[in-house]
Amino acid sequence: MSHPSFVSPDLIRQRFSKAMSDMYREEVPLYGALMELVEQTNRHVLDSDPQVARQLNNTGEIERLDLERHGAIRVGTAAELATLARLFAVMGMQPVGYYDLTPAGVPVHSTAFRAVHEASLQVSPFRVFTSLLRLELIEDLELRAFAQSVLDKRSIFTPAALRLIDRAETQGGLTEKEADEFVEQSLETFRWHHSATVTAEQYQKLSAQHRLIADVVAFKGPHINHLTPRTLDIDIVQAQMPAHGITPKAVIEGPPRRQCPILLRQTSFKALDEPVAFTDQADTRGSHSARFGEIEQRGAALTPKGRALYDRLLNAARDELKDFPNEANAARYNELMAQHFSEFPDTHEGMRQQELAFFRYFVTEKGQAADELDTLSLEELVSGGYLRVEPLVYEDFLPVSAAGIFQSNLGDGAQTHYGEHSNQQAFEKALGRSTIDELQLYAQTQQRSIEQCLAALGN
């Protein structure tokens, strides 16, 4: 039970998300242009597609649409990751899912910190995709030791932030004043730094090993590298970006365009080249590219059966392409994706009947007015119009999409092939706890909605 004078973790998360967005808009002006484009697109979709508007109103997602953001950061050590987990816990965010990006040539593994209950997500669906650098993948032992020594010297949290994390854990929450200070102090961890912590030569050595390694190691902290708003039509945004002075990546990551979107589709603009001062320079004569703009469109969360079908179709399209999707083969890739995904049902009822996606159940007006429904099965209640069904929105990420976004912003030359395998055990040891299986969360949300409906109908 929460203390009456403590601010809800959901509200702290909501405040932090807004503060982060305001900070990033100041630091990256193109983010502001991107936000305006997404807002225009969403208004257009809601005005022109009554079905989408109805679905969002039915699920309550319409109320969170403008709040929706996900950020991404990369940390260098187990201690940094473990403390981040404690910081996010103050905001009601838990580590959901394990993502290994090494198969795509990116030397990190990751989790997504987010709220886990549908009621909390409704207040603030803010998520942070958080990656831990795998130092053991640096083949040059001398460079690996150097990177470790640089990371060991830094502290990415302010003393006040650490004090407030301790306070929240000890007393079970934060007061209004403490919550405001917590947001202000926590924001400092994610701020951009124009000053590097290494020389220009050291930066080049790190970058030559992998540009992401330089991004994680060479600075005072894990600057937020993108904040992603949710659009209702990513294809419109992709087409409109050039007219707003934004150059999009060649291929939208994730599933192809569908009548009933599934999982997650993402696009972005290329990372900005920003001035940086290295330790052996008097001013910002160097440069570094890390921060970019990303947009996402979220669809239905898929069941294990649905994910297996999605993975099979995606792999078939990519195998036939015989290359990493890029500007040169974008049209062919989109064509192959559309062909292969024609096998995936493109109606919500088709997905529900084949148990490919998770859904929420709601009592209709007819259901509220009816008596003696206790003998009817769930399917009979749905077919009889006593219950309506809406897809559960996918709250998480796709490993291939995440890696594709990373690679597109690091450049083709950044692709590296690592022989190491996934190491979830090592990640969770660094994290200090197990990650949560996102599929179980969706199953629990679906089951809760069914039980609430049956209770309301006296079934």
Side-chain angles (χ1 to χ4, degrees), residues 197-445:
T197 56
V198 298
T199 67
E201 183 184 1
Q202 289 165 341
Y203 172 86
Q204 289 303 328
K205 285 182 179 177
L206 291 166
S207 188
Q209 182 75 196
H210 197 294
R211 283 174 61 188
L212 187 140
I213 294 172
D215 181 61
V216 175
V217 174
F219 297 90
K220 294 176 183 176
H223 40 258
I224 196 85
N225 55 61
H226 63 268
L227 270 184
T228 303
R230 176 182 171 187
T231 183
L232 298 175
D233 194 321
I234 200 166
D235 296 278
I236 292 178
V237 174
Q238 177 91 342
Q240 290 291 320
M241 281 167 74
H244 288 73
I246 306 168
T247 304
K249 69 187 295 295
V251 175
I252 294 173
E253 301 284 345
R257 183 177 181 85
R258 294 164 43 89
Q259 286 293 113
C260 299
I262 56 173
L263 294 176
L264 177 69
R265 302 181 74 208
Q266 296 177 303
T267 190
S268 67
F269 62 73
K270 291 284 187 179
L272 306 170
D273 203 34
E274 303 184 75
V276 167
F278 296 107
T279 56
D280 56 342
Q281 296 174 341
D283 52 27
T284 53
R285 285 178 295 173
S287 68
H288 175 68
S289 59
R291 299 191 297 171
F292 56 93
E294 185 179 85
I295 314 99
E296 65 189 19
Q297 180 176 352
R298 292 186 173 271
L302 300 186
T303 62
K305 182 181 175 183
R307 282 299 294 262
L309 178 58
Y310 170 84
D311 291 343
R312 177 169 67 78
L313 299 177
L314 178 68
N315 289 334
R318 294 203 166 200
D319 288 346
E320 194 170 339
L321 187 69
K322 296 182 174 64
D323 195 6
F324 198 82
N326 56 48
E327 199 163 343
N329 61 27
R332 174 64 177 154
Y333 178 66
N334 291 335
E335 183 182 301
L336 287 170
M337 287 288 283
Q339 285 175 15
H340 285 279
F341 271 84
S342 63
E343 188 180 332
F344 203 112
D346 200 7
T347 65
H348 289 144
E349 189 55 24
M351 287 191 278
R352 194 178 75 87
Q353 290 294 342
Q354 294 187 39
E355 298 183 340
L356 298 174
F358 291 105
F359 291 85
R360 279 180 74 183
Y361 292 76
F362 301 84
V363 178
T364 63
E365 288 185 8
K366 180 180 178 181
Q368 289 171 345
D371 294 320
E372 299 181 6
L373 299 175
D374 54 319
T375 60
L376 300 184
S377 68
L378 183 68
E379 286 307 308
E380 288 169 333
L381 289 168
V382 173
S383 61
Y386 303 107
L387 296 181
R388 61 179 169 81
V389 182
E390 300 288 356
L392 265 181
V393 67
Y394 185 63
E395 305 284 356
D396 296 287
F397 300 89
L398 300 176
V400 175
S401 291
I405 294 285
F406 275 35
Q407 282 296 355
S408 68
N409 285 288
L410 293 167
D412 295 334
Q415 202 152 347
T416 306
H417 297 285
Y418 294 105
E420 290 280 334
H421 295 292
S422 169
N423 197 342
Q424 185 170 352
Q425 188 177 0
F427 183 84
E428 291 180 341
K429 182 180 178 184
L431 182 65
R433 58 166 291 180
S434 298
T435 55
I436 299 169
D437 179 356
E438 68 273 20
L439 294 175
Q440 289 184 5
L441 294 177
Y442 296 120
Q444 289 165 5
T445 298

Side-chain angles (χ1 to χ4, degrees), residues 14-173:
Q14 189 184 76
R15 293 179 195 178
F16 182 80
S17 173
K18 184 181 184 307
M20 178 87 82
S21 187
D22 291 344
M23 179 183 79
Y24 199 66
R25 192 186 285 259
E26 283 182 19
E27 292 182 347
V28 183
L30 268 183
Y31 169 69
L34 200 63
M35 290 297 301
E36 289 172 11
L37 175 55
V38 167
E39 287 164 10
Q40 289 170 14
T41 302
N42 289 351
R43 279 199 303 271
H44 168 75
V45 172
L46 290 170
D47 290 343
S48 60
D49 194 332
Q51 187 175 339
V52 171
R54 178 194 58 77
Q55 182 185 326
L56 292 176
N57 276 299
N58 283 344
T59 60
E61 286 174 64
I62 193 74
E63 295 162 15
R64 62 179 246 190
L65 185 62
D66 292 340
L67 297 173
E68 197 131 0
R69 300 283 185 281
H70 94 245
I73 56 168
R74 307 155 185 166
V75 295
T77 68
E80 290 177 352
L81 181 66
T83 306
L84 264 183
R86 295 172 59 213
L87 181 146
F88 286 134
V90 177
M91 295 186 265
M93 300 165 75
Q94 298 186 51
V96 178
Y98 171 77
Y99 304 85
D100 176 27
L101 273 57
T102 55
V106 184
V108 301
H109 45 186
S110 317
T111 191
F113 286 96
R114 68 168 178 89
V116 297
H117 193 284
E118 58 271 21
S120 294
L121 287 162
Q122 198 67 10
V123 177
S124 172
F126 181 59
R127 320 164 182 86
V128 182
F129 191 82
T130 304
S131 301
L132 174 64
L133 178 63
R134 296 184 67 177
L135 281 171
E136 75 275 13
L137 298 181
I138 300 179
E139 294 170 355
D140 183 331
L141 296 182
E142 188 177 337
L143 188 66
R144 187 192 302 177
F146 169 72
Q148 185 71 64
S149 69
V150 173
L151 291 169
D152 287 344
K153 289 174 189 169
R154 75 181 188 182
S155 176
I156 66 173
F157 306 97
T158 69
L162 293 171
R163 173 177 54 79
L164 287 162
I165 292 170
D166 286 339
R167 179 76 61 83
E169 292 172 342
T170 302
Q171 65 186 16

Side-chain angles (χ1 to χ4, degrees), residues 104 174 181:
L174 295 177
E181 187 185 3

